[in-house]
């Protein structure tokens, strides 16, 4: 089955710093989403981005489907950005999301 | 309700006990998903409903796991004869439409510990 790899696994930032998180996937996908899981376990959908670039405030994402990777950019990080960022993909006709192991981000004040 | 609601939030079960986990999706959402998340891992797909029809149950780990959504709204995930390896967070999610492009909303999860 399709494999999803995320890097780095862990990241520590000072407040105000920028960062780039990467997601590689092993096969063609028809859906790619980025999620943030806060320290209390709540998962929030950040982007639906099977291709192209999207921006939402301090966050933006780019997916290059032909090269099978996606990037999530966090600018001017805040302590509330802490948590785990997951990339998840969907391939084929089912609605099953395949998830990476996540990038655990800690933003220090 | 305003979001996906799951209950109980926390459950401690003795090995061999049956448990039932409830999910109230966002009103009007036709798609409903169950995922299992072990500590330090990403969520893993369990099953998917479109209204009351269970279209995919390929992720259910064994025949001890059963899910239903009889009226196309509330869903229940039942685990029979719980084992220690069932300890995990069980996440329910819903989305408005059928297609992949619909935003998926997750509940806060039901944290199951089997002792």
């Amino acid at each position: 089955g399709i494999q999803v790899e995320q890097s780095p696994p862990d990241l520590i930032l000072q407040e105000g710093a920028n960062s780039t998180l990467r997601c590689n996937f092993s096969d063609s996908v028809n859906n790619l989403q980025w999620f943030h899981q806060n320290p209390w376990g709540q998962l929030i959908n950040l982007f639906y981005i099977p291709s192209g670039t999207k921006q939402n405030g301090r966050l933006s994402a780019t997916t290059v489907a032909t090269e099978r990777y996606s990037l999530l950019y966090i600018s001017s990080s805040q302590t509330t950005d802490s948590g785990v960022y997951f990339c998840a993909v969907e391939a084929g006709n089912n609605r099953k999301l395949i998830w990476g192991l996540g990038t655990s981000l800690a933003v220090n004040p | 309700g305003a979001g996906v609601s799951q209950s109980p939030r926390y459950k401690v079960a003795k090995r061999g006990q049956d448990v039932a986990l409830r999910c109230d999706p966002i009103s009007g959402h036709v798609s409903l998903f169950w995922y299992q998340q072990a500590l330090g891992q990403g969520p893993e797909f369990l099953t998917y409903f479109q209204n009351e029809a269970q279209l995919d149950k390929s992720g259910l780990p064994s025949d001890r796991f059963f899910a239903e959504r009889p009226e196309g709204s509330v869903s229940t995930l039942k685990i029979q004869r719980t084992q220690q390896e069932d300890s995990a967070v069980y996440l329910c999610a819903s989305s408005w439409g059928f297609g992949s492009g619909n935003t998926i909303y997750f509940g806060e999860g039901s944290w199951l510990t089997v002792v």
Side-chain angles (χ1 to χ4, degrees):
Chain A
I2 193 165
Q3 304 295 315
V4 180
E5 294 182 353
Q6 292 187 243
S7 60
D10 301 283
L11 189 57
I12 300 174
L13 299 175
Q14 285 300 122
E15 203 167 22
N18 303 326
S19 62
T20 300
L21 282 55
R22 185 177 180 103
C23 172
N24 292 332
F25 44 96
S26 60
D27 206 344
S28 300
V29 300
N30 52 29
N31 178 1
L32 186 146
Q33 300 189 38
W34 284 96
F35 292 87
H36 174 229
Q37 189 167 41
N38 69 21
W40 297 271
Q42 178 71 58
L43 272 164
I44 302 294
N45 183 291
L46 298 174
F47 293 104
Y48 165 74
I49 187 164
S51 63
T53 297
K54 289 186 178 179
Q55 181 156 6
N56 184 3
R58 297 182 296 103
L59 302 182
S60 63
T62 295
T63 297
V64 183
T66 53
E67 298 186 22
R68 299 181 184 167
Y69 74 88
S70 183
L71 301 174
L72 178 69
Y73 304 98
I74 305 173
S75 64
S76 305
S77 58
Q78 300 177 358
T79 56
T80 51
D81 295 332
S82 296
V84 182
Y85 289 82
F86 287 103
C87 168
V89 304
E90 190 180 309
N93 289 328
N94 59 55
R95 295 294 310 278
K96 181 187 306 185
L97 282 173
I98 308 299
W99 299 66
L101 292 179
T103 292
S104 179
L105 173 66
V107 181
N108 295 325
Chain B
V4 178
S5 178
Q6 294 188 244
S7 61
R9 288 293 319 281
Y10 304 95
K11 174 70 178 179
V12 178
K14 292 185 178 179
R15 191 169 54 182
Q17 187 178 358
D18 296 350
V19 300
L21 308 176
R22 176 188 169 103
C23 173
D24 276 280
I26 294 173
S27 179
H29 279 197
V30 299
S31 295
L32 185 144
F33 309 83
W34 284 99
Y35 284 84
Q36 180 191 58
Q37 187 176 21
L39 193 64
Q41 304 291 314
E44 293 198 2
F45 173 84
L46 293 177
T47 187
Y48 163 55
F49 290 87
Q50 196 174 100
N51 294 309
E52 69 279 3
Q54 189 175 20
L55 297 188
D56 188 344
K57 55 181 181 179
S58 62
L60 296 176
S62 76
D63 59 6
R64 297 185 295 103
F65 286 70
F66 173 77
E68 60 182 4
R69 194 187 186 198
E71 297 179 0
S73 178
V74 171
S75 177
T76 303
L77 176 67
K78 297 179 179 177
I79 309 173
Q80 297 177 324
R81 305 181 304 282
T82 52
Q83 304 293 316
Q84 284 189 317
E85 62 262 28
D86 300 335
S87 296
V89 180
Y90 291 86
L91 296 163
C92 178
S94 70
S95 68
W96 180 80
F98 304 132
S100 301
N102 290 278
T103 300
I104 185 168
Y105 297 89
F106 278 85
E108 292 180 304
S110 289
W111 298 60
L112 173 65
T113 303
V114 181
V115 297

